[in-house]
Amino acid sequence: MTAPDSLFTLSFLGTPGWFWLAFAAIVIALLVFDLGVLHREQHEIEMRESLLLYSGYVSVGMAFGAWIWWQLGATKALEFYTGLLVEQSLSMDNVFVMAVILGFFDIPRRYQHRVLFWGILGVVLLRALMIGLGTALVQRFDWVLYLFGAFLLLTGVKMLFSHEERRPDLSRNPLLRLLRRYLRVTDELHDGRFLVRLPEPGGGRLRLHATPLLLALVLIELADLIFAVDSVPAVFAISQDPFIVYTSNIFAILGLRALYFALAALMHRFIYLKYALALVLIFIGGKIFLHDLVGPVPALMSLSVTLTLLIGGVLLSLFKTRKHAKDRRSR
C-alpha cells in the first residue's frame, strides 16, 4: 500500500482519514471562494448579501450532514444537525460582543468582513485544540461527561434567572491594555491592513505598527474562546464523536460570521432567545444524567426539542417586539 493510500484509509480519532480530508477541502474551498472571489474588493456588506452568504454556508452544511447520513447513518447525521443548531444558537451572544468590539475601534463596515474572515482561521485552530483536549478527557475519564452536564445545567439555570444586561467595557480589558503597552499601535486603519510599516518620529527608520483592525481581531478571537467554554461541552453532551463535534462547530461558525451583518442590526429584537438557550442547555445537560435512568435520548428527539425551543424563543421575541420595530421604522 502506498503512502497516499494509507493516508486515506488511516483512522484518525475514530473516523477514516479521508473524511477529515474531505471536510478540510470543503472548508478551504469555501474560504477561498469567499475571500478570493466574492470579497476580493473590500466593500460594505448589506443585509441582502449577508443573508445570501449565510444561506450558501447553511446549504453546504446541510449537504454535509446529508453526506454524513449516507456514510455514517441517521444517528450521526442527526447529532451533526443538533450540534450545528446548538453551536450556532449559543454563539448568538458572540455577535453582540463582536459588534461592540468593532464599534469600539470604529471599524467601518467595509473592513469588518476582513476582520471576521481572518478570525475564522483562529477559530478553526482553537476549536481543534479544545475539542481534541475534550475528546482525550472524555475517553480517558468517563466522569468528565457528567462534569460537562453539571456545568451546562448550572449555566442554563444561571441564564434563566439572570436579568443583568451588561455592555462590555473594552477600555478596561486587560488584554487590550497589554497589547497597547507592548505593541506600537497606529490610530489609522491604513486601508484595512492589520500591520503597517511607519517611520519613526522625525523621519527615522521604518518600524512595524499594529492597526486597530489587528487589535479588534485579537479581542474577537478571545471572545470566541470564552464562548467556546459553553458551546463545546454542549456539543460533547450531544455526541462524543470528535468528527461530529468539530465539523458541526466549524460549519456553525462559518454560517454565523456570514450572518453577522444581518444579525447585528436585529439582536435587540431577540429578547427571549436567552431564555430559550437556557432551556436548551438545561435539556442537554439533563440528558447526560437521564442516560443512566431511562437510557439514551434518541437523536431525533434531541433535535426536535432543541429546534422547538429555539424557534419558540425567536417567534415570541419577534412578536413581543413588533410594536417597537414599527416605531423605529416610522422615525
Side-chain angles (χ1 to χ4, degrees):
M1 183 179 293
T2 64
D5 290 336
S6 63
L7 182 62
F8 278 90
T9 58
L10 184 68
S11 177
F12 178 67
L13 296 177
T15 302
W18 73 274
F19 279 51
W20 291 100
L21 291 174
F23 168 70
I26 292 171
V27 172
I28 292 172
L30 287 172
L31 296 179
V32 169
F33 180 72
D34 190 330
L35 188 65
V37 178
L38 297 180
H39 301 100
R40 180 182 300 177
E41 300 293 334
Q42 296 184 99
H43 62 276
E44 184 174 324
I45 297 179
E46 302 295 341
M47 182 175 293
R48 181 176 179 275
E49 183 181 354
S50 178
L51 293 173
L52 287 174
L53 192 59
Y54 173 72
S55 64
Y57 279 114
V58 168
S59 298
V60 176
M62 297 298 288
F64 189 81
W67 179 72
I68 290 177
W69 193 310
W70 177 46
Q71 292 288 336
L72 302 177
T75 299
K76 292 289 187 182
L78 291 173
E79 288 176 352
F80 170 82
Y81 287 131
T82 305
L84 180 70
L85 182 63
V86 168
E87 171 61 35
Q88 197 160 98
S89 302
L90 290 175
S91 298
M92 292 279 276
D93 280 348
N94 205 3
V95 171
F96 168 74
V97 174
M98 288 188 292
V100 171
I101 292 171
L102 294 173
F104 177 80
F105 291 104
D106 292 323
I107 307 296
R109 286 176 62 90
R110 69 180 183 274
Y111 297 141
Q112 290 180 7
H113 177 269
R114 182 178 178 84
V115 176
L116 298 177
F117 176 88
W118 288 107
I120 290 173
L121 300 182
V123 169
V124 169
L125 177 61
L126 290 173
R127 292 297 171 100
L129 293 174
M130 293 185 70
I131 291 169
L133 176 61
T135 300
L137 289 174
V138 169
Q139 291 179 349
R140 186 174 179 85
F141 307 106
D142 293 339
W143 53 266
V144 170
L145 201 56
Y146 292 95
L147 188 63
F148 284 169
F151 174 74
L152 295 175
L153 282 171
L154 291 174
T155 302
V157 171
K158 182 180 178 181
M159 286 177 61
L160 196 61
F161 294 100
S162 174
H163 301 287
E164 186 178 8
E165 298 289 343
R166 293 188 300 173
R167 188 179 182 88
D169 185 3
L170 294 182
S171 62
R172 299 183 179 181
N173 185 279
L175 178 59
L176 180 59
R177 289 183 174 181
L178 188 68
L179 291 173
R180 289 190 180 279
R181 181 176 180 180
Y182 291 101
L183 293 179
R184 289 181 288 270
V185 181
T186 175
D187 293 330
E188 299 179 19
L189 297 176
H190 294 278
D191 198 28
R193 285 182 285 177
F194 294 108
L195 295 168
V196 63
R197 291 189 179 276
L198 297 175
E200 292 179 335
R205 64 176 180 171
L206 296 178
R207 289 190 176 275
L208 201 62
H209 288 68
T211 71
L213 263 72
L214 181 62
L215 300 185
L217 176 62
V218 173
L219 291 186
I220 286 175
E221 291 297 324
L222 175 64
D224 180 81
L225 183 63
I226 294 171
F227 279 98
V229 174
D230 285 341
S231 61
V232 170
V235 183
F236 264 114
I238 295 166
S239 173
Q240 288 80 61
D241 185 336
F243 182 74
I244 300 298
V245 176
Y246 186 63
T247 55
S248 61
N249 258 256
I250 299 306
F251 272 116
I253 291 168
L254 287 172
L256 192 67
R257 294 292 170 95
L259 190 61
Y260 167 82
F261 297 94
L263 200 58
L266 299 174
M267 283 299 294
H268 66 282
R269 296 201 59 187
F270 299 131
I271 58 175
Y272 293 111
L273 182 59
K274 180 183 77 170
Y275 302 106
L277 291 174
L279 293 175
V280 168
L281 289 178
I282 292 171
F283 168 70
I284 294 173
K287 278 201 323 171
I288 297 176
F289 295 97
L290 290 174
H291 183 278
D292 294 332
L293 298 176
V294 300
V297 177
L300 182 59
M301 180 181 293
S302 294
L303 178 59
S304 301
V305 171
T306 301
L307 195 59
T308 300
L309 289 172
L310 294 175
I311 291 177
V314 170
L315 293 179
L316 182 60
S317 297
L318 294 176
F319 176 76
K320 287 291 188 178
T321 59
R322 67 192 189 284
K323 184 178 184 301
H324 179 64
K326 288 180 180 178
D327 293 341
R328 290 185 61 163
R329 285 196 299 267
S330 63
R331 291 175 186 173

